[in-house]
């Protein structure tokens, strides 16, 4: 809206039957916007065309909703059109949520070979090659204006007279390929498609469909097949054949990745741990304790058992969740190692073999597991976990008023402990942690992991220009008068939206797994120490009934104070998030709901432990 303040304009928003409450959310907002609510997902092309039928402007801009635009962007584009009458369509330099250039900003038409190179992964291996990366025009400078073949539908500005002449998006394309087809028809009509590098927008990308998976490849293949049949005639047979080969190659690689991700990594780790123990045992016998003979039967039993414990501990600590993160491997190894030593210490003397073999074997296994993962990441068989570290320190960049707004949102989401301080945006003012002119130095000094830019005193244009402050710092955005904070660190993963209603950790598989695990551990501890509880509890029969209900997975120690379909589902709790049973809660419903939301937003097993400790006297109710 700020980018059209000086332009006579109209804005259409088309919703393809969203299931997230968008219609209710926008009911009384943005009165100047014309909303079109589709009753089903009719696809990208049809949705845009519904708005085009009502549009009256001299220029039509197709713009994705997951974008941020600088305030002078549209004026620059229109001015460029006015001085380039040969321009049939204008695309723009697009950046992801971290400020990295998106190669989809400029593309060539999909010939059989260029499509094969893209689908087979060769374009990714040689990103600047004129041959292999022709699809993304990798050899063309992203900082210069160029004539190109294809512009991205995420930002595509076209004079209305051209759309009236050649038509809008072809509705045979459901998703993908419609922008290629329209770009092709614009060229056929004698106009040029121009890539405009004098302004940049942020395109968070990847919010409409999961990229890289087989479903994405299937949709892309279908779009390319429609395009080939429509425009290439007899060449379409060869085109489709090469694409089919590319599909099969991508499917094979995807199957390998999926196997390693879900089954292969534990198998690889188990093999590595077993081999590490055996090799260390042999070397131990040769160079450390030559006079000790270890029982073969004992080692055949012990090594697989300790390997199983290692894998079990790693699983519950989240090692096999999506993506590789070195910190997660370190954390898992420490937990697994502590468990191994604890179990080893409990063994009778006659069953112990050598603590040294256990320690050195675990260390060797950790080194090998790290090296294997690094290699698999380099080969792109597995991906790094690019999701944000939730415990990273955060700077809020804005005025005092903007800082308070963002800090309130962070508090409501249970994330206030992450905010280290404020960076003042007005040069010369010093009533903050630092000033924006010293931002790079501040990030280094305080080891900041995340910055939140506040739009208001700072324009979106200024924020976009400042985005490449550090490749190690995550970036999020808060727009003036907005109710949340947005950000996306990579086109490969979903972006983040932080608000008071945000469900964060309890919706994760590892959180649910750990919650069940801590329930069982605490219940077993209560059973082991049952004589103590017989003395302390007025109604020990109810207490032990609750224990067995939890062990049978019928209950949890800590549940919600009120039922809420919007929160991740958990079982009925003996206690609630307020620390007392549900029937004792006398707080207003709003307070109980807030307590449940905060609990779910920043769930941690130690929070359960603290609630159970504080509410011990109620555990027999």
């Amino acid at each position: 809206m700020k980018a059209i303040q000086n332009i006579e304009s109209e804005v259409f928003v088309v919703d393809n039957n969203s299931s997230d409450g968008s219609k209710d959310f926008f009911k009384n907002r943005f009165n100047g916007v014309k909303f079109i609510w589709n009753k089903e997902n009719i696809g990208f092309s049809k949705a845009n065309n519904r708005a085009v039928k009502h549009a009256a402007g001299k220029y039509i801009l197709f713009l994705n909703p997951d974008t941020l635009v600088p305030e002078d962007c549209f004026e620059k584009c229109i001015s460029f059109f006015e001085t380039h009458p040969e321009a049939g369509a204008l695309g723009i330099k697009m950046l992801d949520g971290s400020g990295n250039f998106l190669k989809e900003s400029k593309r060539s038409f999909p010939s059989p070979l260029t499509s094969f190179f893209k689908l087979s992964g060769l374009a990714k291996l040689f990103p600047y090659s004129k041959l292999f990366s022709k699809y993304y025009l990798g050899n063309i400078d992203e900082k210069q204006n160029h004539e190109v073949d294809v512009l991205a539908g995420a930002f595509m500005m076209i004079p209305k007279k051209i759309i009236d002449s050649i038509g809008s998006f072809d509705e045979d394309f459901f998703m993908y390929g419609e922008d290629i087809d329209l770009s092709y028809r614009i060229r056929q009509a004698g106009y040029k498609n121009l890539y405009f590098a004098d302004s940049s927008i942020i395109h968070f990308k990847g919010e409409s469909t999961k990229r890289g998976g087989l479903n994405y490849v299937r949709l892309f293949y279908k779009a390319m097949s429609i395009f080939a049949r429509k425009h290439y005639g007899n060449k379409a047979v060869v085109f489709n054949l090469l694409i089919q080969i590319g599909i099969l190659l991508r499917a094979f690689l995807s199957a390998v990745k999926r196997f390693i991700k879900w089954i292969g990594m534990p198998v690889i780790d188990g093999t590595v741990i077993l081999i590490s123990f055996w090799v260390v045992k042999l070397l131990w016998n040769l160079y450390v304790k030559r006079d000790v003979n270890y029982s073969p039967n004992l080692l055949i039993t012990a090594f697989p058992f300790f390997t199983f414990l290692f894998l079990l501990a790693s699983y519950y600590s989240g090692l096999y969740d999506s993506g590789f993160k070195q910190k997660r491997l370190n954390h898992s190894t420490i937990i697994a190692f502590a468990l191994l030593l604890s179990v080893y210490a409990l063994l009778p003397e006659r069953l112990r073999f050598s603590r040294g073999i256990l320690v050195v074997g675990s260390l060797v296994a950790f080194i090998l597991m790290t090296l294997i993962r690094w290699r698999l990441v380099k080969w792109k068989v597995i991906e790094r976990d690019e999701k944000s570290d939730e415990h990273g320190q955060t700077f809020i960049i804005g005025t005092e008023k903007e800082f308070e707004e963002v800090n309130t949102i962070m508090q409501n989401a249970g994330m206030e402990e992450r905010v280290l301080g404020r960076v003042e945006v007005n040069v010369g003012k010093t009533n903050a942690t630092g000033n924006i002119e010293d931002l790079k130095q501040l990030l280094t000094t305080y080891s900041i992991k995340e910055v939140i830019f506040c739009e208001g005193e700072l324009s979106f244009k200024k924020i976009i220009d400042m985005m490449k402050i550090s490749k190690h710092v995550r970036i999020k955005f808060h727009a003036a008068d907005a109710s949340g904070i947005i950000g996306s660190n990579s086109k490969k993963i979903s972006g983040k939206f932080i608000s008071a209603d945000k469900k964060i950790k309890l919706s994760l598989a590892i959180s649910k797994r750990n919650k069940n695990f801590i329930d069982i551990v605490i219940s077993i501890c209560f059973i082991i120490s049952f004589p103590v509880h017989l003395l302390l509890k007025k109604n020990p029969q109810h207490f032990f009934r609750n224990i067995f209900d939890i062990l049978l997975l019928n209950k949890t120690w800590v549940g919600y104070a009120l039922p809420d379909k919007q929160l991740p589902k958990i079982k009925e709790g003996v206690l609630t998030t307020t620390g007392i049973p549900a029937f004792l809660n006398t707080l207003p419903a709003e307070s109980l709901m807030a307590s449940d939301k905060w609990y779910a937003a920043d769930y941690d097993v130690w929070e359960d432990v603290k609630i159970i400790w504080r509410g011990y006297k109620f555990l027999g109710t």
Side-chain angles (χ1 to χ4, degrees), residues 300-310 340 343 347:
I300 288 172
T301 305
F303 284 175
F305 175 68
F306 280 108
T307 298
F308 171 75
L309 286 181
F310 199 109
L340 294 185
V343 172
L347 291 175

Side-chain angles (χ1 to χ4, degrees), residues 84-123:
H84 292 75
E86 77 280 9
L90 193 69
I92 202 163
K93 182 166 70 173
M94 299 189 295
L95 311 174
D96 68 11
S98 296
N100 301 308
F101 176 71
L102 288 172
K103 55 191 177 183
E104 291 81 3
S105 304
K106 50 182 177 62
R107 289 174 289 170
S108 69
F109 291 125
S111 69
L113 272 180
T114 55
S115 298
F116 172 74
F117 291 151
K118 172 180 165 53
L119 288 171
S120 64
L122 287 169

Side-chain angles (χ1 to χ4, degrees), residues 129-148:
S129 168
K130 187 175 181 179
L131 174 63
F132 294 116
S133 192
K134 186 180 179 183
Y135 186 81
Y136 292 120
L137 299 175
N139 62 310
I140 289 181
D141 187 356
E142 67 196 51
K143 299 177 182 178
Q144 299 293 324
N145 297 335
H146 287 283
E147 180 184 354
V148 297

Side-chain angles (χ1 to χ4, degrees), residues 64-206:
N64 268 30
D66 53 350
T67 54
L68 294 176
V69 297
E71 290 77 1
D72 62 351
C73 175
F74 302 153
E75 293 180 62
K76 281 187 173 181
C77 291
I78 291 172
S79 176
F80 189 82
F81 262 117
E82 298 294 337
T83 56
H84 292 75
E86 77 280 9
L90 193 69
I92 202 163
K93 182 166 70 173
M94 299 189 295
L95 311 174
D96 68 11
S98 296
N100 301 308
F101 176 71
L102 288 172
K103 55 191 177 183
E104 291 81 3
S105 304
K106 50 182 177 62
R107 289 174 289 170
S108 69
F109 291 125
S111 69
L113 272 180
T114 55
S115 298
F116 172 74
F117 291 151
K118 172 180 165 53
L119 288 171
S120 64
L122 287 169
K124 188 179 288 187
L125 288 175
F126 305 100
Y128 303 108
S129 168
K130 187 175 181 179
L131 174 63
F132 294 116
S133 192
K134 186 180 179 183
Y135 186 81
Y136 292 120
L137 299 175
N139 62 310
I140 289 181
D141 187 356
E142 67 196 51
K143 299 177 182 178
Q144 299 293 324
N145 297 335
H146 287 283
E147 180 184 354
V148 297
D149 288 339
V150 178
L151 302 173
F155 184 107
M156 202 171 186
M157 186 177 282
I158 309 172
K160 179 72 157 50
K161 65 178 183 180
I162 293 180
I163 291 181
D164 290 340
S165 172
I166 68 171
S168 186
F169 291 122
D170 185 336
E171 296 185 0
D172 285 342
F173 296 89
F174 182 83
M175 190 170 191
Y176 304 123
E178 66 289 311
D179 47 4
I180 301 175
D181 173 74
L182 185 53
S183 296
Y184 191 89
R185 287 187 282 122
I186 289 171
R187 285 280 295 271
Q188 279 186 320
Y191 296 98
K192 293 181 178 180
N193 295 313
L194 298 177
Y195 163 73
F196 185 58
D198 294 342
S199 185
S200 303
I201 71 165
I202 298 172
H203 181 202
F204 291 112
K205 206 166 183 281

